[in-house]
Amino acid sequence: MRILHLPALFLFCLTAVGCGTATSIPDEVEPSADTAANVEAASDAGNFVVQNDYILGQGDTISIQVFDEPDLTLSTAVGTSGSINYSYLGDIKVAGKSPVQLERHIAGLLQNGYLVNPSVNVTVLEYRPFYINGEVRSPGSYPYQPGLTLDKAIALAGGLTDRASTRKMFVTKGLGGGATEEGARVFLNSRIAPGDIITIKEGFF
């Protein structure tokens, strides 16, 4: 009798295993609207970080707004001196400061005999250009774009020449205020910042 029951028992086990396997495969789920919103929010957050961590320097165009004080609204480029001329306050050193630091600096100056608790907002309207030279088809300066990488910078300069070496690419970092950092080797996916000087060297074949 026990032998006669074995096929039935075996069939039962196969059925149970099959059911377990079927239920373990997850259904495909389409990306939700919340996921897309999170991606967009992350992108906006990245732009926010760029604005607030960015060090201002010659060639940047900035906007200064003071809440409820339209006469103190100003859009201006940072000149070779690294300073701007601002209403009531005269020349203000801008180069070497982040937008947040400049906001605090201007608020402090305005609070000293002009306004009570001024609310100042500084934004970058146009970033200073980056520079690319060496083995590219159109060397020169180009407007910076947030999120710029070396491969995109090369594309803006018309692409590499036939003599270019992708193993000999260097960037001298522009630090604002005319200061630079010694050139370092970079790769096609490396981030480029405003004021950077890119050099693409010739390869030997």
Side-chain angles (χ1 to χ4, degrees), residues 21-33:
T21 304
T23 55
S24 65
I25 300 175
D27 293 333
E28 292 186 3
V29 179
E30 294 183 1
S32 65

Side-chain angles (χ1 to χ4, degrees), residues 4-69:
L4 291 176
H5 284 296
L6 284 176
L9 179 61
F10 180 69
L11 180 60
F12 174 78
C13 291
L14 285 178
T15 303
V17 171
C19 292
T21 304
T23 55
S24 65
I25 300 175
D27 293 333
E28 292 186 3
V29 179
E30 294 183 1
S32 65
D34 290 340
T35 301
N38 289 338
V39 171
E40 185 175 352
S43 176
D44 291 341
N47 290 335
F48 178 82
V49 170
V50 168
Q51 282 270 346
N52 286 277
D53 289 349
Y54 179 63
I55 300 301
L56 298 166
Q58 175 188 342
D60 290 324
T61 300
I62 61 173
S63 170
I64 302 172
Q65 293 179 312
V66 181
F67 181 70
D68 256 358
E69 298 290 339

Side-chain angles (χ1 to χ4, degrees), residues 135-174:
E135 297 301 324
V136 290
R137 300 192 183 279
S138 301
S141 64
Y142 291 88
Y144 172 78
Q145 305 166 1
L148 187 70
T149 53
L150 180 56
D151 57 341
K152 293 178 182 177
I154 290 172
L156 290 172
L160 298 172
T161 67
D162 295 336
R163 299 184 301 275
S165 171
T166 55
R167 292 178 296 178
K168 295 180 180 179
M169 303 183 296
F170 301 88
V171 168
T172 300
K173 303 300 292 182

